[in-house]
Amino acid sequence: MSEGGEKVIEFEWGTRRGVGGRKKDVQFYESFSYDGVEYSLYDSVFLYKEGEPHHFIGKIIKIWETSDKSKKVKILWYFRPSEILNFLEGSETLHNELFLAAGEGEGLVNVNPLEAIAGKCNVVCISKDSRNPYPSDEEVQLAEFVFYRFFDVGKCKILDNIDNGIAGIEVKNIFNNLDSQKLVGLVKPGLDKKEVNGNFIASNEAVALLSQKNSQPLIEKPDGKCFDTLVRENADSKILLGKNSTCSIGVKDASKPTNALHTITNYKTMPPAKVEENGSCKVSLDKQKSSNKLSHGSRASLEMGETTKMDDRRKNVSTDKKVVMSRVDLEIDDFYDVGAPVRKVNKGFAEEKASKKGKHGSFGMASSVKLNNKVQNRRFILYDDDDNDDTVKAVAPSSSKDKCKHQRDSCDVEELPSKKLKIDKKPTKLTSDKLCKESSTISPNVEHKLDFRPMEVTQRPDVDRSKWFKEIPWEEKMETAHEQGKLVLLQNIDPSLSASDVQNIIWTGFKESCTAKMIQKTAYSSPHSGQAVAIFRKKEAAESVVRKLDEGCFLMSNGRPLVGSIGVPSFPEKKPIFYGHHVVDQLRMMQMQREMKDAVSTSHCSQPNNIEYEMSIEWCLLQERESKSWRKLYQRQGEELSKLRAKLKSKV
Amino acid sequence: MGSSEEEYIAFEEKVSRTVYFDNLSPQVTESVIRTALDQFATVKNVKFIPNYIGPSNLPKCALVEFDSTKKAKEIISMVMGYPFMMSGSPRPVRARHAVMEMFDDRPVKPNRKLMVRWLEPSDPDFQVAKEIKKLTRKHAAEIQFMHKLQLAEEEKLSRQQEDTLKLHYKKFKLIDGIMADKTAHRLARKYNLRVTDE
C-alpha cells in the first residue's frame, strides 16, 4: 500500500510478524520498505524532528500498524556524547561514538510515526563482549557510528556491559548481526540473502577453523557471525546445528577463507617450534659445503631468509608492523612436517602457514637447499609479529646477484610452485639457511658497499661500554654534542620503538654506534611517527650517517624510510613566556609571595561564580579548538602518508 | 625474553597509573605538582617531559604517576570536568591518560623483530621512499608552523583577557572608591536615592 499525498513516498510492508493489541487489530511487522530503502527490525536509523539541528539515531525495536492505519515504530535511542556530557565523567569518546540507551526510565524508548525515519544508519558495535560478533577493521572504518558502551537512563550512568536485553529485546539483537555486514557490503535488498551470507559464512568458518586453535579474539568473531547468520536464515533454528552444516562450506571455499585468514590472524611470538626448526635446519645444512658462519647466533628469534627462484611471483604482502616469523595455516590438514629435513632436499615448495605460539608443531619448509653456485633470487620473508591483521610479506629479491653468488655458494634453492590454493597475495615463506644470511653479513664484499638486502636488526655489540663512567645528564650531552656537530635528529620512526631499538637500527644499517633517546610524545606529537635524537661518537660519523640517509633510502619496517638531519635542539629559555596566567598589577606582589609559599592554595578548581571561571572556560575552549586542529592535521598527514606507503611494493 | 616481557607488562601497568598534564606554566615545579595533587591522590612520581625539538615557548608537560589506575582516572575526570589551575590562573591545566610513547625510558617491546634495508637506486620503491622522506620533512615543517600558530592564538587570548581584567579592575576600584569616600552617598542624598550597602 502506498502513501498518498502530494509527495508520494514509496512504502511497502515486509514480513508480517503477528497480531496484537487489545482488539487484535494491530499488525506487527518485521520489515518494511520506505522511500526505496528497506528497513528491518533492529536496524539503526536516523530520525528527524523539525527544528532539531541533528538527526537522532535510534534502533527500531518494534514495527506495527494500528487499526486506523497509522504506522508506528518503537525506537530505542542512541545517545551522542554531547547529549550525556555530564555523565561522561571525563572519559574519552571517539568522534563517532554513540551510547545505546539501557536500563529503565524516560529517554529509553519512544514510539514514533514511521514517517519520522529519515534513513538508515550504519552503526557498528565494537564491544568486546563475547556475545558480540566483532566487526572487521574495514567495517569499523566504513561505519558511520560505533558504539560499545551503554547509557543507563534510570541511573544516568555509563555502562560498559549489559547482562540481559534492553527494553525487552534480546542481547543478540543489540549486538552486531550479520545483516549489518550486508550494509557494509552495500548489498541491495534484492540480492539473495542466503548467498551473501554464504560467503560470509565461508570466510567466517575458515576463521573459525583456524581460530579454534588460535588466540582468543578470533573465537568470538566466527562464533558470533555464524550464530547470527543462521538465526537470520531460519529464525527458529539453533546455532549449533547451523554451524556444523556451514563448516563444510568453509572448507570447500578454501581460497576465500585464506584471504580472510590473512586479514584476521594474529601473530604472537615465535613458536618454540621454530627454534627446533633452526636446529633441524642446521642439521640439514651440515652436509652442504658452506662457509657460513653464524655471526649473530645468539638471538633467539630467527630470521629465515632464503634464496628461491620465483620468477613471476614477487609476493609482497604488506604488513604494517614489525616483523617476525609467522605462518598462516591455510588448510588444517595440510601440514608439512618440518622436522624432516631430508624430505626437503628433494622437494621444495613455497607455502606459508600461520601458527600460533606452540599450538602447531609443524610448519612447512619452503625449500630445500641445493649445492649450486648459482643463486637466483633471494627473498626474505618477514613476518609480522604484532597485533595486526596482516600477514607475511616478502621482501624484494636482491638485485645484486653477483654479490650473492660470492656469499652463498651453497645456499641455493630450487623452488617448486606452491601447492597451496591460489590466493591473491600469497607470501612465500622461505626457510633459511639462516647461516647463509649470516655469512653475508660478514662477507668482505659488504663492508664498504651498501648492502641492499633486508637485514635483521641486531643487537649492537659492546652495549655496556663505559658503564663505569658516571652518566652525564642528557641535556649536557646534547649541548656538547650539538656544539661538536655529533647530534643527529632522526625522524619517521615507528612510535612504539624504544631508544635501544633505534640504537640497534643505526648499528645494523651503518655500523655506527650512538646513544639515542626517543622524543617523548606529547599532546601535540604526531601519532604517525616518532622522532629520536642520536649522539654519535664522532662528527664524521654523524655527518656520514646524515648524508647516507639523505642520498639513499634506508627503509625500516612498515615502509618507513629513516630521515635524518643534523639536529638543532631547542633549549628552554631563561625566562620563558607563558600565556594565560594573569595577575592584576597592583595585586601582583602580594600574589606572588603567596604562590611561592603555598602551592595548595593557589592550585584549585575554579568555581563557577567568578570571573576567573569565565576566563578559564575561554581557555578551555581554546584548548579544545587546538586539539581539534591538531587532530585534523594529523589525520590529513596520516592519509598522505598511507597513500604513499601503499605505493611501496616491497616492504621490509 | 621472559624477564623483558614482565618488564614490559610492569611498565604498561605503570603507564596506566600515570597521568599526562600539559599547559603547565614554567613556574610549576615538581613540588608544586605534588602539593597540588596530593589533595586528591597520592603522587608517586613526577617527571617533566623535556622539550628538545619543539619551539622553545611551549608550555610544559609532565607525567605524574599515581598509585592506582582508578585514582589516575578520577584525577583525569576531575581535571577535565572542572578547570583546575596550578600556580596561577585562569589558564587551566589539561590532563590525559598517559601512553607508552610518552615515556622515553620505555622498555623494548618484547618478541619483536625489526628489519631494515637499504633500497637500491634502481628499485622503483626508491622513488617512493624518497617521496616519503620529503613528505616527512614537510610534515615536520607543518607541525612547527602549527605550534607557532597555536602560540599566537594563545597570546591573543591572553592579551584579550588581560585587557578585560584590567578594565574590570578599574571599574571595581572606581566603585570601591566612591563608596569609600562617600561620594556615592552624597550624590544619593542629592538625588533622593538610596545607596544600598553590600
Side-chain angles (χ1 to χ4, degrees), chain A residues 89 269 322-323 385 399 455-456 497 517 523 549 552 555 570 579 582 604 618-619 630 637 640 650, chain B residues 20 52 54 77 83 85 89 91 104 106 108 111 113-114 116-117 119-120 125 133 139 142 150 161:
Chain A
E89 286 160 8
T269 57
K322 304 290 164 296
V323 200
D385 176 58
S399 63
M455 301 175 264
E456 169 198 345
L497 292 185
K517 208 169 211 282
L549 281 178
L555 214 61
S570 88
Y579 299 116
H582 305 304
H604 58 282
E618 285 177 8
W619 279 104
W630 280 110
Q637 288 188 348
E640 290 177 359
S650 76
Chain B
Y20 162 85
Y52 291 136
S77 53
M85 333 272 174
S89 54
R91 183 164 174 178
D104 66 344
R106 54 183 180 264
V108 181
N111 304 321
K113 291 274 296 187
L114 300 172
V116 290
R117 180 161 96 92
L119 281 179
E120 295 157 43
D125 282 343
K133 285 204 295 190
H139 285 172
E142 284 174 0
Q150 193 176 311
Q161 286 189 340

Side-chain angles (χ1 to χ4, degrees), chain B residues 157-173:
Chain B
L157 180 64
S158 157
R159 267 194 224 296
Q160 216 175 33
Q161 286 189 340
E162 262 187 48
D163 287 340
T164 331
L165 190 62
K166 283 206 184 93
L167 214 59
H168 282 272
Y169 188 71
K170 262 170 58 183
K171 284 189 197 161
F172 276 123
K173 278 211 79 180

Side-chain angles (χ1 to χ4, degrees), chain A residues 89 269 301 303 322-324 382 385-386 399 451-452 454-457 474-475 478 495-498 500-501 509-510 517-518 520-524 531 549-555 557 561 563 569-570 573 576-582 585 603-606 612 615-616 618-619 623 625-627 629-630 634 636-637 640 644 648-650 652, chain B residues 20 22-26 32 35-36 39 49-54 56-57 59 77 83-92 94 96 99 101-104 106 108-109 111-120 124-126 128-133 135-137 139-140 142-143 146-147 150-151 153-155 157-158 161-162 165-166 168-169:
Chain A
E89 286 160 8
T269 57
S301 51
E303 177 42 32
K322 304 290 164 296
V323 200
V324 197
L382 309 162
D385 176 58
D386 255 333
S399 63
D451 186 359
F452 291 115
M455 301 175 264
E456 169 198 345
V457 173
W474 180 259
E475 267 106 20
M478 264 184 41
S496 54
L497 292 185
S498 72
S500 47
D501 287 326
F510 305 90
K517 208 169 211 282
M518 295 298 289
Q520 287 160 281
K521 179 175 148 111
T522 65
Y524 316 114
Q531 307 180 66
L549 281 178
D550 224 9
E551 294 166 350
C553 287
F554 188 62
L555 214 61
S557 319
V563 176
S570 88
E573 294 175 10
I577 314 172
F578 183 69
Y579 299 116
H581 279 183
H582 305 304
D585 289 316
S603 308
H604 58 282
C605 278
S606 177
E612 179 192 62
M615 296 210 256
S616 65
E618 285 177 8
W619 279 104
Q623 282 166 358
R625 278 220 313 264
E626 285 172 1
S627 341
S629 8
W630 280 110
Y634 286 130
R636 183 173 61 77
Q637 288 188 348
E640 290 177 359
L644 268 188
L648 271 184
K649 271 182 281 171
S650 76
V652 172
Chain B
Y20 162 85
D22 69 358
N23 277 278
L24 296 170
S25 112
V32 170
T35 5
Q39 315 168 51
I49 296 185
N51 173 22
Y52 291 136
I53 52 167
S56 39
N57 267 332
S77 53
F84 186 67
M85 333 272 174
M86 266 200 229
S87 274
S89 54
R91 183 164 174 178
R94 191 163 58 161
R96 288 209 186 155
V99 293
E101 290 86 20
M102 292 179 179
F103 294 80
D104 66 344
R106 54 183 180 264
V108 181
K109 202 158 179 191
N111 304 321
R112 183 169 71 170
K113 291 274 296 187
L114 300 172
M115 291 296 295
V116 290
R117 180 161 96 92
W118 283 101
L119 281 179
E120 295 157 43
D125 282 343
F126 192 78
V128 186
K130 275 231 175 267
E131 292 280 312
I132 298 184
K133 285 204 295 190
L135 193 67
T136 320
R137 287 192 221 268
H139 285 172
E142 284 174 0
I143 294 175
M146 187 82 161
H147 275 298
Q150 193 176 311
L151 282 172
E153 285 272 311
E154 289 172 8
E155 189 183 347
L157 180 64
S158 157
Q161 286 189 340
E162 262 187 48
L165 190 62
K166 283 206 184 93
H168 282 272
Y169 188 71

Side-chain angles (χ1 to χ4, degrees), chain A residues 74-88:
Chain A
K74 194 178 209 176
I75 302 286
L76 171 65
W77 296 112
Y78 286 100
F79 288 99
R80 289 185 199 257
S82 52
E83 294 171 319
I84 48 171
L85 267 182
N86 288 337
F87 310 109
L88 276 177

Side-chain angles (χ1 to χ4, degrees), chain A residues 273-315:
Chain A
K274 276 205 201 140
V275 183
E276 282 167 49
E277 182 192 31
N278 188 33
S280 62
C281 200
K282 276 198 201 157
V283 164
S284 69
L285 292 170
D286 277 353
K287 34 187 185 169
Q288 306 163 26
K289 50 168 194 241
S290 87
S291 51
N292 302 324
K293 285 175 251 168
L294 267 176
S295 50
H296 303 277
S298 53
R299 265 242 165 152
S301 51
L302 310 180
E303 177 42 32
M304 309 290 238
E306 176 166 47
T307 36
T308 60
K309 173 168 57 168
M310 297 286 271
D311 320 355
D312 42 338
R313 323 240 284 207
R314 271 172 72 143
K315 300 301 173 193

Side-chain angles (χ1 to χ4, degrees), chain A residues 254-383:
Chain A
S255 53
K256 253 208 206 142
T258 49
N259 242 335
L261 279 181
H262 281 281
T263 55
I264 299 178
T265 32
N266 289 342
Y267 304 104
K268 300 288 177 193
T269 57
M270 304 247 259
K274 276 205 201 140
V275 183
E276 282 167 49
E277 182 192 31
N278 188 33
S280 62
C281 200
K282 276 198 201 157
V283 164
S284 69
L285 292 170
D286 277 353
K287 34 187 185 169
Q288 306 163 26
K289 50 168 194 241
S290 87
S291 51
N292 302 324
K293 285 175 251 168
L294 267 176
S295 50
H296 303 277
S298 53
R299 265 242 165 152
S301 51
L302 310 180
E303 177 42 32
M304 309 290 238
E306 176 166 47
T307 36
T308 60
K309 173 168 57 168
M310 297 286 271
D311 320 355
D312 42 338
R313 323 240 284 207
R314 271 172 72 143
K315 300 301 173 193
N316 303 319
V317 178
S318 63
T319 50
D320 276 340
K321 308 270 167 72
K322 304 290 164 296
V323 200
V324 197
M325 294 276 265
S326 70
R327 306 161 226 236
V328 178
D329 227 336
L330 296 185
E331 279 168 8
I332 324 242
D333 340 327
D334 249 345
F335 287 128
Y336 294 87
D337 191 8
V338 158
V342 181
R343 234 207 293 173
K344 284 185 305 168
V345 178
N346 294 326
K347 15 183 211 176
F349 35 79
E351 70 184 42
E352 76 216 11
K353 298 179 184 243
S355 63
K356 287 304 161 181
K357 203 181 198 167
K359 296 257 176 84
H360 300 285
S362 59
F363 32 86
M365 295 293 262
S367 57
S368 60
V369 179
K370 267 214 207 146
L371 305 177
N372 290 357
N373 273 356
K374 254 220 292 198
V375 169
Q376 275 99 19
N377 283 349
R378 255 192 60 201
R379 199 164 292 199
F380 285 103
I381 291 268
L382 309 162
Y383 299 103

